Amino acid sequence: ALMLAAQGGHDDIVSVLIQEARRRAVDQQVRLHPTAASASLKANQAANGGANQPSTSSSAKSSTKASRVGSAKPREKNTTLSVDMARAIREEVQRRLDMQDADGNTALYHAARNGHAPCVRILLQANASRYLCGPRGETALMAAVQRGNSRVCGEFEKMVRSLERGGVPTLALVGKSLYAVEQDKGGLAIGGLLIDVGTGEMKLLALLQFDAAELHELAVIKMKDLAMKDSADAFLQSVGSETYKTIVAKLLSGIDVLVQMDWYQQVNWVNCFMGVTAWYRHMSADDKAAADVFINALKQEFDAHLKQKKVMQVHLKSKATPLELEWQAITGSTEAQCEARAVEYAVMKSNLSPPFAVLAGGSGSVQITGQDALHSFKASLKDGEKLIESGERATQVGEWAKQVEGNFEGGMLTTVLKECANREPVRIVCMSGFFYAAVAAKILPSKPSSYEYISAEHVVAKLQALCDDAANTAKDVANAMRLLTLLRLLFEEHYTNVSILFARDWKLPSQGRPSAQFRTTWTSGWWLDRVIEHHMAY
């Protein structure tokens, strides 16, 4: 029914069906957990001053006081059950929103393809997944782009533009007095603690949303300093081992650093999340089970320290509760999409036009992300470097270009990108290894004071000159030729409408605060998606 309503552009029916999906999900949880549901209802009524009575001024003061960061008592068992129920309700609603028809398409896809902007807006606000692809690899946004529907495309852009509405989500104000709002330097913020467990290192980060998003490193743990080959090696150690103790100690010291930060009292905490990446995805089932034991033990100690330091999670209509760590394996697709979201935001905050796609040159592969889709292929920089060093330079550079082309295998995203470049201006952001290719080609300095889009024709000429100069290292040539070959495959040397921005770290303007440090990593993109959810919800 939802799919048919979206396809026909019946936005009022779409709204009703989403509300009905939520009601059914709640009813299902009430039937499964009647005791917990009753306790949760009573707790919510108490937090709101009674079931059927308006809040008095004294109860409002009590509620505000209870919501202050660090002032609430640890949550009771019944409240924990209600959190689990809320998660189950969200998952069931998500399942209904993202149901696919026989062709693999969703309600959001049908609304976008048929140009029904109001339906697209309602579905996006309800958190319908924009990243699901049909069998042809076409996303909902791609369907709108291919049909030139600017109104529908605008609805997708609004999700990131919601961060530009001014101020921060309502949750930043909970438990804060008017005096604090007026006196706090730079205003108030919501914040999230994120642990990024990469292959070679793990970082504890504080992501904040003041006027602009900010990233602060609280702790960094390099696996080589632990005499570990990588994170997989480290997380297979036993609980209680020296490796385990060192990792826990460094993470807990990061929390100690957090509570001493000059902005700490200005922040209401809403998330605490750890993402494990490629090293975990490549583990066997037995190794994953062993790593899970390590991670869950780490979580217990991390949660206990958060509770001891009174780092609290703020809720809009109930008491603050101790912040608790959740963890999840991050898929390669999620990593790429989150990085693209971070790039999109950084470009927007820098008053530049949004990119159509992001090209990222990793050490082993190349990723093309855009229009809510991902295309990835193998192109190992080390392989290219070895090949170029193995014989006559010009011949081997040509062989490397053939290898890159052979691995490319374009998809729907690259097809749409090529078609758009033939009829309208297309902007591309290049990052990761491709930034260093641009530096080596003298397209921009290693530490540019600002970023700007550059003509693709100029970029191609500079990259070609680098590859032709025998004085350059094999590594730089391999990297430059990898990007040069990709651009030729994408645009078939029709570069007139194409401009490229090369970027690494960003300094974003923030009202009332120093320029904020921001990195276009998956952690930043993940956090921005959470901020968008809070903006849309409140």
Side-chain angles (χ1 to χ4, degrees), residues 236 280-292:
L236 288 176
Y280 183 89
R281 297 196 299 268
H282 297 152
M283 278 182 158
S284 67
D286 288 344
D287 283 350
K288 283 182 180 178
D292 289 355

Side-chain angles (χ1 to χ4, degrees), residues 93-284:
V93 173
Q94 193 71 53
R95 185 189 69 80
R96 291 174 180 270
L97 281 171
D98 294 338
M99 288 180 68
Q100 294 170 285
D101 61 18
D103 295 323
N105 297 316
T106 63
L108 180 61
Y109 173 87
H110 285 297
R113 187 179 189 279
N114 289 284
H116 303 311
C119 288
V120 168
R121 183 187 315 121
I122 292 166
L123 288 163
L124 287 174
Q125 288 175 346
N127 204 34
S129 177
R130 52 191 289 173
Y131 302 120
L132 291 175
C133 299
R136 295 174 57 239
E138 188 179 31
T139 63
L141 178 54
M142 261 191 233
V145 168
Q146 285 189 295
R147 288 156 185 81
N149 196 312
S150 58
R151 284 189 63 211
V152 171
C153 294
E155 294 300 333
F156 285 90
E157 188 177 329
K158 280 180 185 177
M159 297 298 288
V160 173
R161 288 286 174 186
S162 67
L163 297 175
E164 281 288 275
R165 295 190 312 188
V168 294
T170 306
L171 275 173
L173 307 177
V174 172
K176 302 291 187 181
S177 67
L178 181 60
Y179 175 81
V181 174
E182 293 173 343
Q183 296 298 317
D184 281 338
K185 185 177 180 180
L188 303 173
I190 61 171
L193 292 180
L194 277 83
I195 303 176
D196 178 9
V197 190
T199 299
E201 64 181 16
M202 61 188 300
K203 295 180 179 180
L204 173 59
L205 308 168
L207 276 297
L208 313 177
Q209 179 66 29
F210 282 94
D211 177 65
E214 300 180 13
L215 181 149
H216 299 267
E217 283 188 2
L218 303 175
V220 179
I221 306 165
K222 295 184 180 296
M223 295 305 141
K224 65 180 182 180
D225 294 340
L226 303 177
M228 294 287 123
K229 182 178 65 175
D230 55 21
S231 291
D233 194 14
F235 278 64
L236 288 176
Q237 304 303 306
S238 62
V239 173
S241 65
E242 286 304 313
T243 298
Y244 174 84
K245 290 177 182 178
T246 302
I247 289 175
V248 169
K250 285 184 176 290
L251 290 177
L252 300 193
S253 70
I255 298 175
D256 297 338
V257 170
L258 169 72
V259 298
Q260 297 300 319
M261 288 292 191
D262 57 5
W263 39 256
Y264 176 70
Q265 295 298 333
Q266 297 168 238
V267 179
N268 276 346
W269 300 97
V270 295
N271 295 102
C272 185
F273 180 76
M274 178 167 72
V276 293
T277 54
W279 62 270
Y280 183 89
R281 297 196 299 268
H282 297 152
M283 278 182 158
S284 67

Side-chain angles (χ1 to χ4, degrees), residues 219-428:
V220 179
I221 306 165
K222 295 184 180 296
M223 295 305 141
K224 65 180 182 180
D225 294 340
L226 303 177
M228 294 287 123
K229 182 178 65 175
D230 55 21
S231 291
D233 194 14
F235 278 64
L236 288 176
Q237 304 303 306
S238 62
V239 173
S241 65
E242 286 304 313
T243 298
Y244 174 84
K245 290 177 182 178
T246 302
I247 289 175
V248 169
K250 285 184 176 290
L251 290 177
L252 300 193
S253 70
I255 298 175
D256 297 338
V257 170
L258 169 72
V259 298
Q260 297 300 319
M261 288 292 191
D262 57 5
W263 39 256
Y264 176 70
Q265 295 298 333
Q266 297 168 238
V267 179
N268 276 346
W269 300 97
V270 295
N271 295 102
C272 185
F273 180 76
M274 178 167 72
V276 293
T277 54
W279 62 270
Y280 183 89
R281 297 196 299 268
H282 297 152
M283 278 182 158
S284 67
D286 288 344
D287 283 350
K288 283 182 180 178
D292 289 355
V293 172
F294 188 107
I295 293 170
N296 289 326
L298 185 155
K299 167 184 160 52
Q300 287 186 350
E301 299 208 42
F302 196 81
D303 287 349
H305 202 63
L306 287 170
K307 184 176 180 180
Q308 179 189 346
K309 293 296 181 179
K310 297 183 179 180
V311 184
M312 309 296 285
Q313 180 174 356
V314 173
H315 310 282
L316 193 63
K317 295 183 179 180
S318 58
K319 294 181 179 180
T321 55
L323 194 63
E324 292 185 357
L325 178 67
E326 295 183 8
W327 72 273
Q328 184 179 334
I330 303 297
T331 66
S333 175
T334 298
E335 276 194 76
Q337 296 292 359
C338 286
E339 286 176 359
R341 177 75 69 248
V343 169
E344 187 179 358
Y345 171 77
V347 168
M348 177 190 71
K349 288 295 289 185
S350 300
N351 295 316
L352 296 166
S353 298
F356 188 96
V358 177
L359 312 184
S363 58
S365 64
V366 169
Q367 291 180 331
I368 308 166
T369 314
Q371 312 308 298
D372 295 340
L374 167 68
H375 180 75
S376 178
F377 64 95
K378 182 181 177 182
S380 169
L381 207 51
K382 284 186 177 179
D383 289 349
E385 184 179 358
K386 288 179 182 178
L387 180 61
I388 290 170
E389 289 176 336
S390 67
E392 194 272 326
R393 172 66 68 98
T395 301
Q396 298 308 103
V397 169
E399 288 300 315
W400 170 234
K402 289 179 183 178
Q403 278 195 23
V404 173
E405 184 174 353
N407 292 338
F408 175 67
E409 295 182 0
M412 178 59 73
L413 171 58
T414 58
T415 299
V416 173
L417 182 56
K418 188 181 301 183
E419 289 175 354
C420 287
N422 286 333
R423 65 174 186 262
E424 61 189 75
V426 166
R427 291 170 293 273
I428 302 294

